[in-house]
Amino acid sequence: MDRRQFLVCSGAAGLGLSLAGRLQAEGWKTKLYKALIGKPDEATFQAWKAAGFEGMESTQWDINPAQAEKARRLADKFGMKIHSVLRGWTNFNSSDPEQVKRDIQSVETALRAAEAYGADAVLLVPCRVGPPGMTIPEPWEFDIEFDDKTGHVQRVVKGDNTKYAEYIKAHNHAIDTSRAAVEKLIPTAEKTKVVIALENVWNNLWVLPNIFAHFVRSFGSPWVRAYFDIGNHVKYAPPEKWIRTLGDLIVKCHVKDFLLNPDGRGGKFVHPRDGSVNWPEVRKALDEVGYNGWMTIEDGGLSLEEFSRRLDLIIAGK
């Protein structure tokens, strides 16, 4: 086979794989879209578009609507979508009322920026607990019981919880203060038509699917939903269990992977498809709960083309 024949055959084989992947993806009831996290500028949009991505989660939340509208027009130029805004950590459980007030105002700024971007959600991590010296169960030890009315934790492990009393108190304080802060943000979310998407990021709160779902659902508002990070939750429970429990509360998904140690306890973050996440089962669970939306990679260290290829496989259920 000469070089020309090889290239023709290789191209045909590549096309066959591409069509097979597309057909597999079309076999699902739901449609997923490809995105990365970054700062909106022309060079970034151009490179991402060329690699096969469709959208961005913007890290620029602290900007005025006019600046965000300019970025929106730039995204439109490349046929891209700024679909969400990453506000990230806040300190709604702070003992300083002024700190809480500032953080609430910062999320209002992010919501208004998201509206101008044309985004429909702002990622928010309400707070964290666990200062040095606080005794907290290991991920595999958690067995949480909570009050269905208040969401307050009653126990975090089976048996004697005495040594976790400080953690339980801090957890319940975080529930109350986070709920109070988010409730103040709902009117702005409703006005801007932008969802407050709550996420867990190893903040020692809502570490099992049922209590996180309870907290998000407790607002009784379509403007408070869940931003589910597929890799963040592996050490607590399989991602597919989280997805099926959260169900239609999920408004966005982050894509990364986590490799558990051989004993199933602890591990490390790795690139998508290199870890312990059962991606075909995750895709199946997303389809079951009717998730039509963005799959945003939160990772680095691979080429854009390789991230795009891996995300294609995940979306195809492979």
Side-chain angles (χ1 to χ4, degrees):
M1 181 182 293
D2 63 25
R3 181 176 181 275
R4 178 173 295 178
Q5 290 173 314
F6 174 79
L7 291 173
V8 169
C9 291
S10 297
L15 179 61
L17 288 173
S18 176
L19 289 173
R22 191 182 311 138
L23 289 171
Q24 176 74 7
E26 289 173 353
W28 300 98
K29 295 178 294 183
T30 53
K31 185 170 177 58
L32 305 179
Y33 303 89
K34 298 163 62 178
L36 293 162
I37 300 172
K39 176 182 175 181
D41 58 52
E42 185 158 356
T44 299
F45 284 131
Q46 187 172 25
W48 290 10
K49 181 72 173 182
F53 288 92
E54 301 159 283
M56 170 185 286
E57 180 168 289
S58 175
T59 58
Q60 288 191 309
W61 62 267
D62 191 11
I63 61 175
N64 63 50
Q67 293 170 309
E69 173 61 31
K70 182 178 179 181
R72 178 181 184 172
R73 291 195 299 269
L74 184 59
D76 288 344
K77 174 183 173 182
F78 290 94
M80 300 283 281
K81 172 78 172 175
I82 301 175
H83 74 91
S84 65
V85 173
L86 198 164
R87 169 57 187 88
W89 295 100
T90 55
N91 299 282
F92 291 158
N93 61 337
S94 173
S95 59
D96 179 1
E98 289 303 311
Q99 175 68 61
V100 176
K101 182 179 178 180
R102 287 193 299 271
D103 280 0
I104 290 174
Q105 290 173 341
S106 75
V107 179
E108 290 173 338
T109 296
L111 288 166
R112 287 189 285 269
E115 179 187 27
Y117 275 132
D120 58 12
V122 167
L123 184 158
L124 173 65
V125 183
C127 58
R128 74 189 90 185
V129 299
M134 181 178 286
T135 303
I136 299 174
E138 296 291 347
W140 56 88
E141 294 177 326
F142 277 103
D143 191 316
I144 294 176
E145 284 188 357
F146 60 92
D147 181 81
D148 190 62
K149 184 177 180 180
T150 64
H152 283 185
V153 172
Q154 297 165 325
R155 80 171 197 202
V156 290
V157 297
K158 291 181 179 179
D160 187 5
N161 279 245
T162 303
K163 67 178 180 179
Y164 301 119
E166 183 184 9
Y167 170 60
I168 292 171
K169 181 179 179 180
H171 198 301
N172 292 338
H173 174 70
I175 287 172
D176 293 342
T177 54
S178 294
R179 182 177 289 114
V182 172
E183 285 174 347
K184 291 179 180 178
L185 288 164
I186 290 175
T188 303
E190 185 172 10
K191 182 178 179 180
T192 57
K193 301 295 185 285
V194 176
V195 169
I196 301 163
L198 302 176
E199 188 188 47
N200 267 4
V201 189
W202 286 18
N203 47 338
N204 298 313
L205 295 166
W206 309 294
V207 298
L208 293 179
N210 58 342
I211 191 170
F212 186 46
H214 181 277
F215 179 70
V216 178
R217 192 171 284 114
S218 70
F219 293 95
S221 171
W223 302 108
V224 182
R225 305 278 292 281
Y227 201 128
F228 181 66
D229 187 303
I230 295 165
N232 277 349
H233 298 76
V234 176
K235 69 177 184 176
Y236 296 110
E240 57 269 24
K241 181 176 180 180
W242 284 89
I243 292 167
R244 292 184 173 111
T245 302
L246 291 169
D248 62 4
L249 292 174
I250 300 173
V251 69
K252 301 285 181 183
C253 285
H254 268 168
V255 175
K256 60 177 181 274
D257 211 332
F258 188 83
L259 181 64
L260 292 166
N261 291 328
D263 62 1
R265 300 181 175 185
K268 62 181 181 180
F269 285 108
V270 294
H271 299 309
R273 298 178 59 81
D274 288 344
S276 300
V277 174
N278 183 335
W279 290 106
E281 191 64 24
V282 164
R283 181 65 179 98
K284 180 181 176 182
L286 289 171
D287 205 51
E288 287 175 9
V289 303
Y291 178 73
N292 289 281
W294 293 90
M295 302 290 281
T296 302
I297 289 180
E298 186 181 19
D299 194 3
L302 297 177
S303 69
L304 290 173
E305 291 74 19
E306 179 61 14
F307 275 131
S308 183
R309 185 188 73 83
R310 293 187 183 208
L311 193 47
D312 281 338
L313 291 170
I314 290 168
I315 291 172
K318 298 180 178 179

